[in-house]
Amino acid sequence: MPELPEAETIARQLHAVLADRYLGRVVHVRSDMVYGDMRPIQKTLPGLRVKLAYRRAKRVILELSNGRTGGPMAELVFALGMTGRLTVCDTAEPIEKHTHLRVAVAGEKRELRFRDPRRFGGIWINQATEPRSVEAAKKVRTATARERRMSGTKHERQMREPRSGEAAGGKQLPDRILSPLGPEPLELTAGGFRRVIRRKRQIKALLLDQTAIAGLGNIYCDEALHAAGVHPLTKADVLSQEQAGRLLRVIKTTLRRAIRFNGSTLMDYRSADGEPGSFQNQHRVYNREGQPCRTCRRPIERIQAAGRSTWLCPTCQPQIWVP
């Protein structure tokens, strides 16, 4: 399942190849994967210019502007779900099954494709609510500046609201919600993180909660908890200030390292150029049951935490029991 590093990798690559390009004809779209603006996407996208691509949590977003006036028009939001894949490829390349959106790049023999075999992801079209300068847009490749500007704005609230409506032909679409998002882990301060974890919840469950901290998933939670020496079943509110500070530091370090390796490919994930990530070769616990811990050599164990398979080292991550 694509998490923050995978979404960041895709967004950076899309920005490199699509910024200042115009979108052409929508070659194919599965309408029941599109939400937000209910106007036909075939009429909405052609002629718009990609101003920038960026990431918010696990989502990849294209900011689109009017090709003639340069004013803001819309944002195309891709929720990758479990198996979502965004690529830019030659139009002559074979079309994989479960490709739900194909948009031509105007004047080029390339197109943007969105594929999602399990269809837990989706595509949202949101109207832009405020203009962005070109200079500011060019600084948003890592999204951090924009995330600060977006925090609490009308745009952010709009992305949180349920979306439903009618597709072409009057077919009623089911409600699909872009869920509320917490702060970005790469932007969290020590004080902000301590406020987040002042809850009587298992620390892994809390880290996976996108309304608490946005962007973390199963892989990077397990890797960060191991690096911090924190057992996944530990209650968040019993962590000391030192433990909390260490956990935040290793969350950031783990995510940044994973971004440098273009994310982790275990099954479906590919970057925007179709290549797999390589951070899976650096995993210290995730999916390594029975293999020796890279720190103490004790075999890695797998348990259930927050309803998910969870990998840990029982020596490096002793559980803290609280009466």
Side-chain angles (χ1 to χ4, degrees):
M1 180 176 181
E3 302 179 26
L4 185 155
E6 290 76 35
E8 179 68 25
T9 298
I10 292 171
R12 291 184 183 189
Q13 293 180 347
L14 289 181
H15 184 82
V17 299
L18 292 181
D20 295 325
R21 267 75 168 184
Y22 290 83
L23 297 181
R25 184 168 66 96
V26 177
V27 183
H28 167 78
V29 63
R30 179 168 179 150
S31 60
D32 62 357
M33 295 286 288
V34 182
Y35 305 91
D37 190 332
M38 288 298 111
R39 291 175 297 174
I41 194 171
Q42 295 91 333
K43 296 182 179 180
T44 304
L45 295 184
L48 297 184
R49 180 174 65 91
V50 179
K51 190 173 181 181
L52 71 155
Y54 67 99
R55 174 197 60 77
R56 174 69 169 110
K58 303 176 186 180
R59 302 167 188 166
V60 177
I61 305 173
L62 300 184
E63 182 177 290
L64 307 174
S65 64
N66 187 298
R68 291 187 294 272
T69 67
M73 290 294 293
E75 291 197 328
L76 193 60
V77 182
F78 293 92
L80 300 176
M82 293 186 67
T83 56
R85 185 187 300 177
L86 271 170
T87 55
V88 176
C89 54
D90 192 289
T91 54
E93 287 189 21
I95 301 167
E96 294 184 277
K97 190 178 180 180
H98 307 298
T99 297
H100 304 310
L101 177 68
R102 295 168 54 208
V103 184
V105 180
E108 302 181 21
K109 295 182 179 180
R110 297 187 301 165
E111 61 185 22
L112 174 67
R113 297 178 182 179
F114 176 63
R115 178 178 182 268
D116 185 7
R118 299 193 68 179
R119 295 173 56 201
F120 287 126
I123 306 161
W124 279 258
I125 302 180
N126 294 322
Q127 292 300 302
T129 58
E130 57 185 272
R132 309 288 181 191
S133 70
V134 175
E135 292 74 18
K138 289 181 178 178
K139 297 178 181 179
V140 191
R141 287 189 59 186
T142 59
T144 55
R146 183 182 179 87
E147 287 157 6
R148 285 193 293 270
R149 292 198 302 272
M150 287 172 57
S151 179
T153 65
K154 179 182 177 182
H155 175 279
E156 181 76 355
R157 291 193 298 273
Q158 179 187 36
M159 290 180 65
R160 294 176 180 176
E161 294 171 357
R163 293 283 183 167
S164 62
E166 293 186 350
K171 179 182 176 182
Q172 185 69 25
L173 292 176
D175 286 347
R176 290 296 302 271
I177 299 172
L178 279 174
S179 59
L181 294 174
E184 290 284 328
L186 293 175
E187 291 295 294
L188 265 177
T189 64
F193 186 65
R194 286 196 297 271
R195 287 192 292 273
V196 167
I197 65 173
R198 286 175 185 165
R199 310 183 194 186
K200 296 182 181 297
R201 296 181 64 186
Q202 292 176 4
I203 186 61
K204 180 165 182 179
L206 185 58
L207 295 179
L208 287 174
D209 184 348
Q210 298 300 293
T211 65
I213 301 175
L216 291 171
N218 210 32
I219 295 174
Y220 301 107
C221 280
D222 283 2
E223 291 297 304
L225 288 170
H226 176 266
V230 175
H231 195 284
L233 299 181
T234 299
K235 292 296 178 66
D237 63 340
V238 306
L239 293 177
S240 67
Q241 183 171 324
E242 179 183 355
Q243 288 174 313
R246 182 169 65 248
L247 178 56
L248 178 60
R249 288 194 298 274
V250 299
I251 286 173
K252 293 182 178 183
T253 299
T254 301
L255 292 175
R256 288 172 179 144
R257 288 186 65 229
I259 291 169
R260 289 200 300 273
F261 284 90
N262 293 331
S264 301
T265 294
L266 300 174
M267 292 182 64
D268 297 280
Y269 164 71
R270 294 294 185 275
S271 62
D273 58 9
E275 295 297 320
S278 60
F279 189 67
Q280 66 276 5
N281 300 321
Q282 308 295 318
H283 290 175
R284 302 185 71 84
V285 290
Y286 185 83
N287 205 31
R288 297 188 65 242
E289 182 180 8
Q291 298 181 49
C293 172
R294 299 187 194 276
T295 302
C296 71
R297 310 306 294 173
R298 182 167 175 176
I300 298 299
E301 296 182 1
R302 180 168 63 93
I303 64 171
Q304 288 290 312
R308 308 290 299 276
S309 288
T310 298
W311 289 266
L312 60 91
C313 171
T315 297
C316 296
Q317 299 167 261
Q319 189 166 2
I320 301 175
W321 294 101
V322 178

